[in-house]
Amino acid sequence: MNTLKVNVEHALNHLSEEELKRMLPEVLAAKEHLLKGDAAGNDFLGWVNLPEEIDPKMLARLKDDVARLTGKSRLLVVIGIGGSYLGARMVIEALQSEFASMVRRENPYVVYAGHTLGEDYYSQLLALLDHEDYSVCVISKSGTTTEPAVAFRIVKAHLEKKYGKDEAAQRIIAITDARRGALHDIAQQEGYPAYVIPDNVGGRYSVLTPVGLLPIAMAGYDIDRLLQGARDMRALCQSKDSLEDNPALMYAAVRNALYRRGIKVEMLVSCLPNLRYLAEWWKQLYGESEGKEHKGLLPHSLSITTDLHSMGQYVQDGERLMMETMLRVQRPNSTVPVPTDERNLDGINYLTGKSLTEINACAAEGTIQAHVDGGVPVVEINVDSINEYTLGQLIYFFEFACGVSGYTLGINPFDQPGVEAYKRNMFHLLGKPGF
Ligand code: PA5
């Protein structure tokens, strides 16, 4: 059942309904390009039907590997960068306790590497790994990215020293290209269990491949429900042709219409702290897909109410260049009412008995009103609750809307030529042969 709704009511003081309606033919044409595969980047459209086409044999093997490694690991080190780790981290952090590292759990706790070159980070990680049983999931589509390659060399050496080469090989899973790249070759020569990132799925669209599914399952979450949410959202996004019935078309239409009105920055605002990596994943998805040819909304994020006490002033009163997309969750997974206090020294007895969700909802309403009054258009994305199913829906919704939005913007949403520039300079400075 679809619980995701896009509400543009609070953007309509910046746009007329007519302007929004005029976007429909353009977003429909963009949707057709995605479904027919007849536009730029069409060799990277594997994600469009991925939730339906995922191989059940691969899923069964993945679950076997998860069960085998879960039995002997307290930690899983996920090594990857960009699209090769953000999707898994988004889902795991949205679902796990904020204090997961401090509480006993049945499944391994996931720690990350390969997303940074901070030397102290690795020294602290190795110190932790000295004392914990662990396994490694190394992920790189190209198999040649420097950051995860360096991290894997460091962690592999530690793992082999700790368990011996044979047992280490039983504790490593590689997720990479089917044929090419250094990671593919290492996995073959060392005999690591390996999974393939399909050729036609780019890194930032890969969370529903083993790239996301394996770490998420290792952390103990239900990947079948995640895939079901994505499947149901796929059916909706692909079948409906009106802005009212198709949330992805509405979202793509409203953000492009606002961009044409001069908006330069889109802030994804979430009301829950455990959605901070959803914002990081979304930033990569939209920034890397649309930031081309000197075009595209700059993706930024806020968490409320936390950031209202740091960024609120700017949003309310600074340069008028932004829109907000507020991600609102209707129901919490647990409740904490405000207790009563006879003496009421803090003066908040008027809140007694209210849940934090009610208070947070009033904060969100108050924020929307204030920001709209301050000249910031607000788009709301409402979901019923946060669980595997609704996260699957959100993933497919944001991916499909991104493809539609990118084609509407007039760029290829599936390449990333700009990511290469820093690498060439870095390789030259490091003395890599050929640079
Ligand atoms: O989305 C992308 O293509 C990038 O962010 C990549 O995911 C990132 O650069 C990592 O690349 P790779 O998986 O090849 O190591």
Side-chain angles (χ1 to χ4, degrees):
M1 196 191 82
N2 176 38
T3 68
L4 188 154
K5 304 266 182 278
V6 176
N7 176 2
V8 297
E9 184 190 336
H10 297 296
L12 290 178
N13 48 354
H14 292 260
L15 287 176
S16 67
E17 292 208 32
E18 266 315 303
E19 262 174 294
L20 194 56
K21 277 192 194 141
R22 276 202 299 274
M23 297 300 300
L24 182 63
E26 289 188 58
V27 292
L28 278 177
K31 176 186 164 213
E32 281 310 295
H33 288 318
L34 285 183
L35 298 187
K36 288 192 179 139
D38 61 359
N42 58 359
D43 43 350
F44 281 100
L45 292 177
W47 60 273
V48 174
N49 295 321
L50 192 61
E52 283 299 332
E53 290 173 357
I54 202 140
D55 177 6
K57 282 199 199 118
M58 181 281 288
L59 269 187
R61 180 164 76 89
L62 186 149
K63 288 176 188 173
D64 285 348
D65 273 328
V66 166
R68 178 175 64 79
L69 292 180
T70 296
K72 55 183 177 182
S73 317
R74 264 214 8 111
L75 296 179
L76 174 72
V77 185
V78 169
I79 299 177
I81 194 166
S84 288
Y85 96 108
L86 281 168
R89 191 162 191 175
M90 149 182 75
V91 174
I92 292 167
E93 300 224 350
L95 295 174
Q96 78 184 1
S97 160
E98 287 282 358
F99 311 101
S101 67
M102 312 287 285
V103 294
R104 289 193 73 78
R105 32 184 296 125
E106 277 178 27
N107 286 79
Y109 180 71
V110 177
V111 294
Y112 301 88
H115 60 312
T116 173
L117 291 167
E119 189 143 13
D120 290 343
Y121 185 93
Y122 288 96
S123 130
Q124 291 158 11
L125 177 65
L126 293 180
L128 174 70
L129 298 181
D130 279 344
H131 304 290
E132 302 287 356
D133 275 318
Y134 71 99
S135 303
V136 176
C137 178
V138 53
I139 307 169
S140 176
K141 182 170 160 74
S142 62
T144 55
T145 307
T146 309
E147 294 91 331
V150 169
F152 185 51
R153 189 180 275 204
I154 291 169
V155 174
K156 177 175 181 273
H158 185 277
L159 191 75
E160 288 178 350
K161 190 163 169 222
K162 179 163 176 156
Y163 295 103
K165 213 167 157 44
D166 290 347
E167 175 59 12
Q170 300 296 312
R171 286 174 178 264
I172 294 173
I173 291 193
I175 304 179
T176 189
D177 188 86
R179 291 170 291 278
R180 291 176 295 269
L183 182 56
H184 166 268
D185 298 347
I186 296 173
Q188 285 235 312
Q189 282 176 30
E190 303 278 17
Y192 304 150
Y195 292 84
V196 166
I197 308 172
D199 283 347
N200 60 0
V201 179
R204 59 190 175 276
Y205 292 85
S206 68
V207 54
L208 299 176
T209 71
V211 170
L213 297 177
L214 194 133
I216 293 166
M218 278 291 281
Y221 299 110
D222 185 344
I223 54 175
D224 294 321
R225 293 290 296 151
L226 187 81
L227 288 166
Q228 190 56 47
R231 261 182 225 120
D232 290 351
M233 185 51 69
R234 170 186 170 273
L236 181 73
C237 290
Q238 295 199 6
S239 64
K240 300 291 181 193
D241 281 341
S242 72
L243 296 181
E244 292 71 26
D245 294 336
N246 190 326
L249 293 187
M250 179 63 102
Y251 179 50
V254 72
R255 63 197 300 284
N256 273 279
L258 288 167
Y259 180 66
R260 289 176 194 182
R261 275 294 191 119
I263 297 291
K264 299 284 183 213
V265 178
E266 179 178 7
M267 293 179 306
L268 188 72
V269 181
S270 69
C271 305
L272 300 174
N274 56 346
L275 298 182
R276 70 180 86 73
Y277 268 88
L278 192 145
E280 294 306 315
W281 172 82
W282 169 87
K283 279 193 243 175
Q284 188 204 358
L285 183 62
Y286 280 77
E288 213 168 80
S289 296
E290 292 198 323
K292 287 163 199 167
E293 302 174 27
H294 297 183
K295 294 187 197 170
L297 285 162
L298 170 68
H300 183 51
S301 63
L302 291 182
S303 180
I304 65 169
T305 60
T306 314
D307 295 336
L308 294 179
H309 297 262
S310 55
M311 289 296 294
Q313 172 62 37
Y314 191 99
V315 178
Q316 190 68 40
D317 224 10
E319 179 120 31
R320 301 298 72 191
L321 40 73
M322 76 285 274
M323 63 178 283
E324 282 181 330
T325 297
M326 191 176 282
L327 184 55
R328 298 188 66 179
V329 180
Q330 302 304 323
R331 284 190 302 118
N333 291 318
S334 49
T335 52
V336 180
V338 177
T340 188
D341 184 323
E342 264 177 33
R343 296 172 70 202
N344 195 25
L345 291 178
D346 51 14
I348 60 166
N349 264 358
Y350 72 100
L351 298 176
T352 298
K354 285 195 195 306
S355 70
L356 293 186
T357 299
E358 281 175 274
I359 301 172
N360 210 11
C362 291
E365 286 298 334
T367 304
I368 291 172
Q369 277 171 27
H371 290 179
V372 168
D373 291 346
V376 178
V378 181
V379 174
E380 281 178 74
I381 297 174
N382 287 287
V383 290
D384 177 54
S385 54
I386 291 296
N387 53 48
E388 288 93 331
Y389 181 80
T390 56
L391 286 168
Q393 287 189 312
L394 277 165
I395 288 169
Y396 195 88
F397 159 76
F398 275 127
E399 288 181 350
F400 198 82
C402 188
V404 172
S405 184
Y407 280 145
T408 305
L409 183 66
I411 49 81
N412 173 359
F414 305 112
D415 63 0
Q416 53 282 328
V419 180
E420 296 308 311
Y422 97 89
K423 292 186 190 168
R424 281 191 297 276
N425 296 341
M426 177 177 76
F427 291 150
H428 173 70
L429 290 167
L430 286 171
K432 183 173 178 173
F435 288 82

